[in-house]
Amino acid sequence: MPLMIANNSMRTSNPILSPPEKYLPKVPQDYPFDGLTAEQRAKMSQFRVTHLPGVFAALTGAPCDNEEAFVDDVRLLKYLRATKWDLPLAVKRLQETMQWRREIRPTEFNTDDPAARALNSVGCIYLDGFDKLCRPILVVLGRLASHFHDHD
Protein backbone atom coordinates (compact mmCIF):
# COMPACT_ATOMS: atom_id res chain seq x y z
CA MET A 1 0.00 0.00 0.00
CA PRO A 2 1.64 3.30 -0.98
CA LEU A 3 2.07 5.83 1.78
CA MET A 4 2.61 9.47 0.93
CA ILE A 5 5.42 11.29 2.66
CA ALA A 6 3.95 14.80 3.07
CA ASN A 7 7.19 16.76 3.14
CA ASN A 8 8.64 14.76 0.27
CA SER A 9 7.20 14.12 -3.18
CA MET A 10 8.33 10.50 -3.05
CA ARG A 11 5.73 7.72 -2.93
CA THR A 12 6.72 4.44 -1.38
CA SER A 13 5.11 1.19 -0.34
CA ASN A 14 7.44 0.99 2.66
CA PRO A 15 7.37 3.59 5.43
CA ILE A 16 10.63 5.47 5.82
CA LEU A 17 11.34 4.99 9.50
CA SER A 18 14.87 6.35 9.61
CA PRO A 19 15.50 10.04 9.12
CA PRO A 20 18.37 11.23 6.93
CA GLU A 21 21.63 11.46 8.89
CA LYS A 22 21.75 15.25 8.47
CA TYR A 23 18.36 15.44 10.21
CA LEU A 24 19.60 14.26 13.60
CA PRO A 25 18.79 16.93 16.21
CA LYS A 26 21.13 18.56 18.68
CA VAL A 27 19.86 17.51 22.07
CA PRO A 28 20.37 20.08 24.86
CA GLN A 29 22.40 19.03 27.87
CA ASP A 30 20.17 17.72 30.70
CA TYR A 31 17.29 17.16 28.25
CA PRO A 32 14.35 17.02 29.00
CA PHE A 33 14.94 18.61 32.39
CA ASP A 34 16.74 21.75 31.18
CA GLY A 35 14.90 24.86 32.36
CA LEU A 36 12.88 23.15 35.11
CA THR A 37 12.74 24.57 38.61
CA ALA A 38 13.62 22.46 41.65
CA GLU A 39 9.91 22.16 42.49
CA GLN A 40 9.10 20.96 38.95
CA ARG A 41 11.93 18.42 39.07
CA ALA A 42 10.57 17.15 42.40
CA LYS A 43 7.08 16.72 40.90
CA MET A 44 8.56 14.87 37.95
CA SER A 45 10.43 12.53 40.27
CA GLN A 46 7.31 11.99 42.36
CA PHE A 47 5.30 11.26 39.19
CA ARG A 48 7.78 8.61 38.04
CA VAL A 49 8.61 6.98 41.39
CA THR A 50 5.36 7.22 43.35
CA HIS A 51 2.49 7.41 40.86
CA LEU A 52 3.63 5.56 37.74
CA PRO A 53 3.59 2.06 39.32
CA GLY A 54 -0.01 2.72 40.43
CA VAL A 55 -0.99 3.74 36.90
CA PHE A 56 0.29 0.44 35.50
CA ALA A 57 -1.33 -1.54 38.32
CA ALA A 58 -4.76 -0.01 37.60
CA LEU A 59 -4.73 -0.80 33.87
CA THR A 60 -6.85 -3.64 32.50
CA GLY A 61 -6.30 -5.73 29.39
CA ALA A 62 -3.17 -7.09 27.79
CA PRO A 63 -0.17 -4.76 27.77
CA CYS A 64 0.89 -3.23 24.45
CA ASP A 65 4.27 -3.94 22.96
CA ASN A 66 6.89 -1.53 24.25
CA GLU A 67 4.38 0.07 26.63
CA GLU A 68 7.08 1.28 29.00
CA ALA A 69 8.59 3.39 26.20
CA PHE A 70 5.42 5.50 26.15
CA VAL A 71 6.09 6.73 29.68
CA ASP A 72 9.55 8.15 29.17
CA ASP A 73 10.53 11.42 30.85
CA VAL A 74 9.57 13.52 27.82
CA ARG A 75 5.99 12.23 27.82
CA LEU A 76 5.58 12.47 31.57
CA LEU A 77 6.70 16.10 31.38
CA LYS A 78 4.14 16.73 28.64
CA TYR A 79 1.38 15.52 30.97
CA LEU A 80 2.64 17.69 33.81
CA ARG A 81 2.97 20.77 31.61
CA ALA A 82 -0.46 20.20 30.02
CA THR A 83 -2.04 20.18 33.48
CA LYS A 84 -0.01 23.18 34.70
CA TRP A 85 1.90 20.93 37.07
CA ASP A 86 -1.26 19.53 38.72
CA LEU A 87 0.15 16.09 39.61
CA PRO A 88 -3.15 14.28 40.43
CA LEU A 89 -4.70 15.48 37.16
CA ALA A 90 -1.59 14.49 35.18
CA VAL A 91 -1.72 11.00 36.73
CA LYS A 92 -5.43 10.69 35.87
CA ARG A 93 -4.87 11.75 32.26
CA LEU A 94 -1.91 9.43 31.83
CA GLN A 95 -3.92 6.51 33.20
CA GLU A 96 -6.80 7.28 30.80
CA THR A 97 -4.38 7.47 27.87
CA MET A 98 -2.65 4.22 28.79
CA GLN A 99 -6.01 2.44 29.15
CA TRP A 100 -7.07 3.80 25.74
CA ARG A 101 -3.79 2.55 24.23
CA ARG A 102 -4.45 -0.94 25.64
CA GLU A 103 -7.98 -1.00 24.22
CA ILE A 104 -7.36 0.60 20.79
CA ARG A 105 -3.72 -0.55 20.32
CA PRO A 106 -2.60 2.28 18.03
CA THR A 107 0.94 0.93 17.72
CA GLU A 108 -0.36 -2.22 16.06
CA PHE A 109 -1.50 -0.42 12.91
CA ASN A 110 -1.89 -3.03 10.17
CA THR A 111 -1.39 -1.60 6.68
CA ASP A 112 -2.72 -4.84 5.14
CA ASP A 113 -6.12 -4.29 6.75
CA PRO A 114 -8.74 -3.38 4.07
CA ALA A 115 -10.11 -0.55 6.23
CA ALA A 116 -6.61 0.92 6.58
CA ARG A 117 -6.11 0.69 2.83
CA ALA A 118 -9.39 2.48 2.21
CA LEU A 119 -8.53 5.24 4.71
CA ASN A 120 -5.14 5.72 3.09
CA SER A 121 -6.70 5.88 -0.39
CA VAL A 122 -8.75 8.95 0.61
CA GLY A 123 -5.77 10.64 2.27
CA CYS A 124 -6.78 10.09 5.89
CA ILE A 125 -3.44 8.58 6.88
CA TYR A 126 0.01 9.70 5.87
CA LEU A 127 3.56 9.99 7.15
CA ASP A 128 4.72 13.54 7.83
CA GLY A 129 8.45 13.34 8.42
CA PHE A 130 10.01 13.00 11.85
CA ASP A 131 9.75 14.73 15.23
CA LYS A 132 12.64 16.32 17.15
CA LEU A 133 13.73 12.93 18.45
CA CYS A 134 13.68 11.49 14.90
CA ARG A 135 10.56 9.37 15.41
CA PRO A 136 8.26 9.01 12.38
CA ILE A 137 5.05 11.05 12.52
CA LEU A 138 1.89 9.25 11.35
CA VAL A 139 -0.95 11.71 10.80
CA VAL A 140 -4.55 10.52 10.89
CA LEU A 141 -7.17 13.02 9.71
CA GLY A 142 -10.46 11.98 11.26
CA ARG A 143 -12.46 14.63 9.43
CA LEU A 144 -11.57 13.00 6.11
CA ALA A 145 -12.51 9.59 7.46
CA SER A 146 -16.13 10.77 7.68
CA HIS A 147 -16.23 10.47 3.87
CA PHE A 148 -15.22 6.83 4.13
CA HIS A 149 -18.01 4.27 4.41
CA ASP A 150 -17.41 0.61 5.06
CA HIS A 151 -19.66 -1.33 2.68
CA ASP A 152 -18.88 -4.84 3.98
Side-chain angles (χ1 to χ4, degrees):
M1 167 172 96
L3 294 172
M4 185 65 163
I5 309 297
N7 56 5
N8 191 336
S9 61
M10 179 177 62
R11 289 181 63 84
T12 178
S13 60
N14 297 318
I16 300 172
L17 299 178
S18 298
E21 197 167 307
K22 65 178 181 159
Y23 195 80
L24 295 178
K26 295 178 183 170
V27 179
Q29 188 176 3
D30 197 29
Y31 180 80
F33 303 109
D34 54 312
L36 295 182
T37 66
E39 181 183 349
Q40 291 169 334
R41 287 175 185 253
K43 281 195 178 190
M44 177 63 191
S45 178
Q46 186 180 5
F47 195 178
R48 175 163 290 292
V49 174
T50 307
H51 296 285
L52 195 56
V55 167
F56 279 109
L59 296 175
T60 60
C64 296
D65 293 338
N66 207 12
E67 192 172 60
E68 293 79 24
F70 184 77
V71 291
D72 61 1
D73 289 336
V74 174
R75 289 192 181 102
L76 294 180
L77 278 172
K78 284 182 181 183
Y79 280 89
L80 284 169
R81 287 178 174 142
T83 59
K84 298 183 179 170
W85 299 92
D86 181 346
L87 187 55
L89 183 56
V91 169
K92 178 182 179 236
R93 287 185 180 176
L94 176 66
Q95 185 168 351
E96 290 170 353
T97 301
M98 295 299 292
Q99 186 62 50
W100 176 86
R101 291 179 69 82
R102 281 194 178 186
E103 292 169 6
I104 304 300
R105 308 191 88 70
T107 58
E108 297 173 13
F109 184 74
N110 182 0
T111 58
D112 294 327
D113 181 25
R117 287 177 186 243
L119 287 171
N120 186 44
S121 69
V122 295
C124 295
I125 302 172
Y126 62 93
L127 292 173
D128 191 20
F130 302 91
D131 67 4
K132 290 181 180 179
L133 296 176
C134 298
R135 297 173 294 205
I137 299 171
L138 178 69
V139 177
V140 179
L141 300 172
R143 62 184 160 83
L144 293 179
S146 65
H147 301 294
F148 168 74
H149 300 286
D150 190 5
H151 297 290
D152 288 341

